[in-house]
Amino acid sequence: MALDEETVRERVAAFLAGHDPAGDRLEFLRARFDAGLAWVHFPEGLGGLGAPRELQNVVEREFTGTPQINHGLQTIGLGMAAPTILAFGTDEQRGRFLRPLWTGEEIWCQLFSEPGAGSDLATLATRAVRDGEEWIVDGQKVWTSGAHHSRWGILVARTDPDVPKHRGLTYFVCDMHAPGVEVRPLRQITGEAEFNEVFLTGVRLGDDLRLGEVGDGWRVAQTTLMNERVAIGGGPVRRGGGMIGLVADTWRARPELRTHDLHGRLLRLWVEAEVTRLAGSRLREQLAAGQPGPEGSGMKLSFASLNQALSGLDVEMRGEEGLAYDDWTFRRSDAVDFFGRGPGYRYLRAKGNSIEGGTSEILRNIVAERVLGLPSEPRVDKDVPWKELPR
């Protein structure tokens, strides 16, 4: 039977009639997953109903006021690991990982970037060597958000150094509690440490933790990366919400800060924010037809540029007051808090938006080549075995 808004509302009502939201939070979330009301576009039995993606908005509205998942803490699991596991995982892997991922019982991190492989991710050097039914992993990852509280990590490692860089990679689920996994904090200009270095020394992973075929890691990673860019830059925002809303609220509440120049800049950024919001809505509608494509790179690119411009305007508009900083205490943060911190924090943290999830320079190449169809840049290392590349 095809599902529509009314049918989904009836299912949520029936669920709430049998499950008290005031009871145990975790049991409520587990039951919601089992009822197929976690992410309705996922298959039945895996937290979904096999329904159109747009019906998720209906579900979220109906569950207002009930226990919720922690999107900030679970961003990587929900937005990157889950769609990759769904696309490439075995039935056993889907059954094992998706439920505790969605409920937040198990937090995930992303083990992709390395000190020598950031924008050019395919040059990564972390090695995974097969030993019977296990893989022995050695290497270093960097800029790993939330590794300090993660149970699992999505990992790309090199399994064949004798072939060109894109073809020698394999994708794994890494046990972050395994012997040989060491997590060290990276303190940021904001004072906190949401990022980490992760050192992998003789880490043994069972072959049952491999996602996709051996040597097919680059293709699997593309699913993660495309979903990552949508998760960062394509989330739903109400009109006048997000960063533009914060700046506009200050403008309305503080008339003594206004100048003709600031007014013009704010209007231009308001228009840009609205265009970005509507483009994001169109992108999410396109997602109903399948996996995200390179268009998500354009959304993330716009998000980064807009966030940096708005946070800069916010600081400038406040004059000397904008130079103050609320708290530089070193701490291990759980998530990025753009709306609970001051303008100085937002200004500094926004600098990372053009780096994380793909640098703006790389994203412009993706948009140029894969969206606009422009000629590719010359790549002299395309057919060269990875072990022969200069590093």
Side-chain angles (χ1 to χ4, degrees), residues 186-305:
L186 279 175
R187 192 175 189 185
Q188 303 148 231
I189 57 174
T190 58
E192 58 193 4
E194 67 190 79
F195 297 109
N196 303 272
E197 296 177 286
V198 178
F199 295 85
L200 306 165
T201 307
V203 177
R204 288 185 170 270
L205 302 176
D207 192 53
D208 59 339
L209 293 178
R210 172 171 49 83
L211 279 184
E213 298 299 322
V214 175
D216 200 28
W218 185 251
R219 186 168 71 96
V220 181
Q222 290 309 298
T223 295
T224 304
L225 294 171
M226 293 300 177
N227 279 281
E228 177 183 28
R229 287 155 194 165
V230 172
I232 293 175
V237 180
R238 63 176 175 81
R239 187 173 187 268
M243 283 287 288
I244 188 64
L246 286 174
V247 180
D249 287 346
T250 301
W251 176 269
R252 297 185 186 104
R254 303 283 300 277
E256 74 277 9
L257 302 177
R258 300 173 187 171
T259 69
H260 179 74
D261 175 65
L262 291 174
H263 186 223
R265 288 166 60 188
L266 178 58
L267 288 176
R268 286 191 293 272
L269 289 172
W270 179 280
V271 172
E272 185 176 339
E274 185 63 6
V275 169
T276 300
R277 184 185 73 84
L278 294 174
S281 297
R282 184 174 64 177
L283 178 63
R284 289 190 298 277
E285 290 172 1
Q286 292 172 344
L287 287 180
Q291 289 290 337
E295 296 82 5
S297 297
M299 279 302 307
K300 195 269 175 180
L301 186 63
S302 179
F303 162 82
S305 173

Side-chain angles (χ1 to χ4, degrees), residues 38-72:
W39 32 42
V40 295
H41 58 287
F42 272 43
E44 293 188 46
L46 296 176
L49 299 172
R53 186 186 293 259
E54 59 265 24
L55 290 179
Q56 187 67 35
N57 293 330
V58 178
V59 171
E60 299 303 334
R61 286 196 298 270
E62 296 300 308
F63 274 108
T64 299
T66 69
Q68 299 293 310
I69 57 178
N70 186 334
H71 284 278

Side-chain angles (χ1 to χ4, degrees), residues 32-219:
R32 178 177 163 181
F33 182 95
D34 294 340
L37 297 170
W39 32 42
V40 295
H41 58 287
F42 272 43
E44 293 188 46
L46 296 176
L49 299 172
R53 186 186 293 259
E54 59 265 24
L55 290 179
Q56 187 67 35
N57 293 330
V58 178
V59 171
E60 299 303 334
R61 286 196 298 270
E62 296 300 308
F63 274 108
T64 299
T66 69
Q68 299 293 310
I69 57 178
N70 186 334
H71 284 278
L73 191 59
Q74 297 173 237
T75 294
I76 292 174
L78 297 169
M80 304 172 213
T84 308
I85 293 168
L86 181 65
F88 292 96
T90 63
D91 289 342
E92 290 76 15
Q93 289 169 335
R94 295 172 182 173
R96 162 65 185 87
F97 292 124
L98 290 178
R99 187 178 190 242
L101 181 159
W102 187 83
T103 61
E105 294 169 77
E106 295 178 342
I107 304 303
W108 289 66
C109 64
Q110 181 185 21
L111 301 168
F112 278 30
S113 295
E114 298 182 5
S119 295
D120 189 5
L121 180 63
T123 60
L124 64 85
T126 293
R127 289 295 313 277
V129 178
R130 189 149 196 171
D131 182 25
E133 291 302 309
E134 292 183 317
W135 295 83
I136 303 175
V137 182
D138 290 277
Q140 179 187 354
K141 299 293 182 176
V142 74
W143 306 121
T144 307
S145 302
H148 51 290
H149 48 230
S150 292
R151 177 65 183 86
W152 301 99
I154 44 179
L155 166 71
V156 182
R158 188 161 304 281
T159 50
D160 188 351
D162 298 319
V163 298
K165 59 183 182 180
H166 293 90
R167 300 210 300 265
L169 303 174
T170 302
Y171 197 114
F172 299 92
V173 172
C174 180
D175 181 354
M176 296 299 290
H177 293 174
V181 177
E182 181 186 0
V183 178
R184 301 179 189 173
L186 279 175
R187 192 175 189 185
Q188 303 148 231
I189 57 174
T190 58
E192 58 193 4
E194 67 190 79
F195 297 109
N196 303 272
E197 296 177 286
V198 178
F199 295 85
L200 306 165
T201 307
V203 177
R204 288 185 170 270
L205 302 176
D207 192 53
D208 59 339
L209 293 178
R210 172 171 49 83
L211 279 184
E213 298 299 322
V214 175
D216 200 28
W218 185 251
R219 186 168 71 96

